[in-house]
Amino acid sequence: MNAEQEIEHLKCLIIGSGPAGYTAAIYAARADLKPVVYTGIVPGGQLTQTTEVDNFPGYPQGITGPVMMEDFRAQAERFGTEVRFGYATKVDFSKDGGIHTVVIDGTKTVTADTVIIATGATAKWLGLESEEKYNGFGVSACAVCDGFFFKGQDVAIVGAGDTAAEEATYLAKLCNKVHMLVRRDEFRASKAMIHRVLNTPNIEIHYNTETQEILGDGQVVTGVRVKNNKTQEENVLDITGFFVAIGHTPNTELFKGILDMDETGYLITKPNVTATNIPGVFACGDVQDNVYRQAVTAAGTGCMAALEAERYLAAKESGE
Ligand code: NDP
């Protein structure tokens, strides 16, 4: 770094711009913490990659993900949040609750009294061209978000972990039939979840089955071509919805060896709060939640993080 370069100091730095980051910003700005949000490479987060959002309270007619995130951003800015396009590339957190340092885009250094991490998680995809083509038009990585659109229809879900099992049983309540595509001859999910799947009559499990191609009419999904990896037999299933539930990757690479995380990389926060193992560093949204992963729960923990940051600063300033 150029010695003459002035380092900007903030009371509250928020990394990430999904529902958690923007909600934290709304609360922090209203508490006069003058927050700065660095958006990351996907401003607005995962919701900008979906179409309709029907389950966020306050939008009785539903709203598209990108428009909703523009609303979040506008609300945060209305109270003075500064939203900047930029990606945190290095962090140096002070273990004793001193000043934290974050490098943006490898070039700009910012210091902050409090840092709120809202970097989210990224859904894993199969990597098929047809999956990308129909994403949002029959292909989804969130059954709870999009299952409703397939009410009474036949759908498929790929995956065999707890998420896939949970989402398959969720879809089975709404849909006529759920084809569950399991690549091995067994599940990875817990016994209780497997039991639930096996006891749901309208879930048909296809073991040793891999997805070859998602079929469509150019507009929406009409089927899926699958292959049995034991017999090599190919088959087409007539479906209108294709759900991918093969796991998520929390965006925590940057914090490895610095913040406590579980074996899959989710940040660990203290019970019932958003505090991490470093004083003044808080985590909210999907980056610390592998169970609910909803916009509304992310927003809820974003609010918690900002309130906790405010209290942390107040206690520090009063010398507690
Ligand atoms: P997991 O990593 O546990 O499971 C991913 C599943 O997707 C595996 O069955 C895997 O198959 C399959 N898969 C991966 N890649 C492919 C592919 N390319 N093609 C086909 N299948 C593929 O992820 P989850 O999201 O299910 O769970 C993550 C964590 O969250 C777990 O610890 C889980 O227990 C927890 N969780 C807990 C819940 C609860 O308690 N209610 C709910 C949801 C999640 P294979 O088995 O062959 O590797």
Side-chain angles (χ1 to χ4, degrees):
M1 191 186 64
N2 181 339
E4 283 160 30
Q5 185 183 330
E6 203 178 316
I7 292 178
E8 183 183 19
H9 182 74
L10 306 170
K11 273 191 183 171
C12 180
L13 169 64
I14 300 172
I15 310 175
S17 57
Y22 280 143
T23 305
I26 292 166
Y27 276 78
R30 284 170 59 83
D32 211 23
L33 301 189
K34 301 188 171 38
V36 169
V37 171
Y38 276 99
T39 60
I41 38 177
V42 185
Q46 290 181 79
L47 275 173
T48 58
Q49 290 160 357
T50 63
T51 48
E52 262 334 276
V53 178
D54 266 351
N55 57 6
F56 198 89
Y59 292 104
Q61 307 306 323
I63 185 145
T64 67
V67 172
M68 185 168 105
M69 293 322 299
E70 274 305 303
D71 284 352
F72 268 72
R73 176 191 167 119
Q75 193 170 352
E77 286 178 333
R78 186 175 140 219
F79 299 110
T81 301
E82 199 181 318
V83 179
R84 298 178 187 164
F85 184 77
Y87 190 76
T89 46
K90 190 170 184 285
V91 295
D92 184 4
F93 293 148
S94 160
K95 287 193 181 60
D96 60 2
I99 304 294
H100 305 298
T101 305
V102 177
V103 178
I104 307 294
D105 296 327
T107 52
K108 181 179 166 71
T109 301
V110 181
T111 59
D113 295 313
T114 60
V115 178
I116 295 179
I117 297 167
T119 48
T122 306
K124 289 185 191 159
W125 296 96
L126 296 172
L128 299 171
E129 210 177 289
S130 52
E131 174 188 52
E132 204 176 319
K133 178 173 175 188
Y134 290 108
N135 189 0
F137 301 93
V139 172
S140 165
C142 179
V144 177
C145 318
D146 298 327
F148 183 80
F149 302 114
F150 302 93
K151 220 171 176 177
Q153 301 172 35
D154 289 3
V155 299
I157 183 163
V158 57
D162 280 332
T163 302
E166 197 168 73
E167 297 203 342
T169 49
Y170 178 85
L171 289 168
K173 291 198 192 93
L174 297 167
C175 301
N176 179 55
K177 179 158 193 168
V178 179
H179 295 278
M180 196 164 184
L181 313 178
V182 176
R183 69 177 172 183
R184 291 183 294 138
D185 56 6
E186 60 176 3
F187 278 85
R188 177 184 294 272
S190 57
K191 290 239 160 25
M193 294 302 292
I194 299 172
H195 188 72
R196 219 188 282 178
V197 168
L198 296 177
N199 282 294
T200 306
N202 61 337
I203 299 178
E204 184 179 341
I205 303 162
H206 302 257
Y207 289 105
N208 301 117
T209 298
E210 290 176 24
T211 306
Q212 300 295 105
E213 188 186 4
I214 296 149
L215 308 171
D217 61 6
Q219 305 275 318
V220 293
V221 169
T222 56
V224 59
R225 188 158 49 80
V226 295
K227 181 176 168 184
N228 184 303
N229 55 28
K230 283 259 161 79
T231 63
Q232 309 307 319
E233 196 187 319
E234 290 201 352
N235 210 344
V236 170
L237 305 171
D238 293 330
I239 48 137
T240 49
F242 185 84
F243 290 88
V244 182
I246 60 172
H248 285 74
T249 309
N251 301 319
T252 54
E253 196 58 42
L254 190 60
F255 312 112
K256 282 211 169 114
I258 300 170
L259 294 179
D260 288 347
M261 47 184 84
D262 69 14
E263 67 284 357
T264 49
Y266 284 89
L267 296 186
I268 296 173
T269 50
K270 302 217 164 113
N272 305 320
V273 291
T274 63
T276 66
N277 55 306
I278 303 251
V281 178
F282 305 87
C284 52
D286 287 12
V287 74
Q288 51 84 59
D289 169 21
N290 70 3
V291 178
Y292 301 106
R293 293 195 289 250
Q294 298 301 300
V296 69
T297 48
T301 54
C303 159
M304 289 165 64
L307 293 177
E308 286 168 41
E310 183 193 352
R311 285 170 199 162
Y312 167 86
L313 282 171
K316 208 171 160 188
E317 277 159 25
S318 68
E320 277 172 37

